[in-house]
Amino acid sequence: MRTELDQRMDAVMAAMTGEGGQLPVATMERFGQTLPYIAAAPPTLNAYFAHFCAQHRDVEFLVAGDERLTFGQVYDAATRVAHALVDGYGIGKGDRVGIAARNSPSWIVLYMGILMAGGVATLLNGWWQTEEFETAIRDVGVRMVFADPPRARRLAAIAGLSDVAVETFDDLKPLQTALD
């Protein structure tokens, strides 16, 4: 049996998702089914990232130890990565670019920069050993890998990896110097 609270919640959801609401819902046909989606949502993760970072440009976004980064700083860094990937490495739509590193602000910036360049961010498990990295890189067809020093040492042990560019970055440094 529906309670008064259920009815109130339904009314709030209807107001929010209906025409003129903050999150209007529309439908689309996919896979032979009618699926709902939020009509006002940005169409891609890149667009959402750009919108949200512009909206909150000067607000603190990432905290790593003493390092404090705003949405704007992270977006600007990801944009620089995207330009470097396209202009310096020829990365284009659908190219797979690996990230072999622990979680850090640099990891986030690399991930978004790869997507902004049109690449496919290929996340390589930081716990993997040399053989596992090699299998994943070969299976997926990675063109290049960004690696922190411990992972870069494991990647260096892979024989015949000369067709894959490996860029080492020091994720223990502040973002501004880590990805230079």
Side-chain angles (χ1 to χ4, degrees):
M1 177 172 191
R2 297 192 48 77
T3 67
E4 183 179 337
L5 179 58
D6 291 327
Q7 293 169 355
R8 287 184 184 179
M9 291 294 292
D10 289 345
V12 168
M13 288 300 293
M16 287 183 65
T17 60
E19 189 174 325
Q22 291 177 317
L23 301 169
V25 173
T27 59
M28 70 174 109
E29 294 294 322
R30 292 284 192 275
F31 318 112
Q33 294 185 7
T34 301
L35 302 171
Y37 71 95
I38 298 173
T44 65
L45 181 57
N46 291 346
Y48 182 79
F49 185 61
H51 169 78
F52 202 74
C53 287
Q55 187 176 31
H56 302 285
R57 184 157 185 80
D58 297 323
V59 176
E60 195 172 83
F61 175 38
L62 295 177
V63 176
D66 294 333
E67 187 173 22
R68 303 287 193 265
L69 299 166
T70 66
F71 283 91
Q73 289 170 313
V74 171
Y75 185 80
D76 292 346
T79 301
R80 286 191 300 277
V81 166
H83 286 296
L85 287 170
V86 171
D87 299 338
Y89 294 94
I91 296 297
K93 185 175 181 176
D95 288 335
R96 287 156 181 83
V97 179
I99 303 174
R102 64 188 135 240
N103 294 337
S104 67
S106 298
W107 191 102
I108 293 167
V109 166
L110 287 168
Y111 179 84
M112 289 310 304
I114 292 165
L115 298 182
M116 292 165 75
V120 176
T122 305
L123 311 180
L124 303 170
N125 189 324
W127 291 101
W128 283 347
Q129 298 306 306
T130 301
E131 299 79 22
E132 294 163 307
F133 278 129
E134 181 176 16
T135 299
I137 288 168
R138 303 261 186 245
D139 282 353
V140 175
V142 172
R143 277 196 52 195
M144 74 176 298
V145 177
F146 286 99
D148 62 13
R151 269 50 68 172
R153 285 190 290 278
R154 290 183 219 150
L155 292 168
I158 299 172
L161 194 63
S162 59
D163 56 331
V164 177
V166 176
E167 287 294 332
T168 303
F169 66 98
D170 189 347
D171 62 342
L172 297 177
K173 290 184 178 177
L175 178 63
Q176 194 166 23
T177 57
L179 297 179
D180 283 342

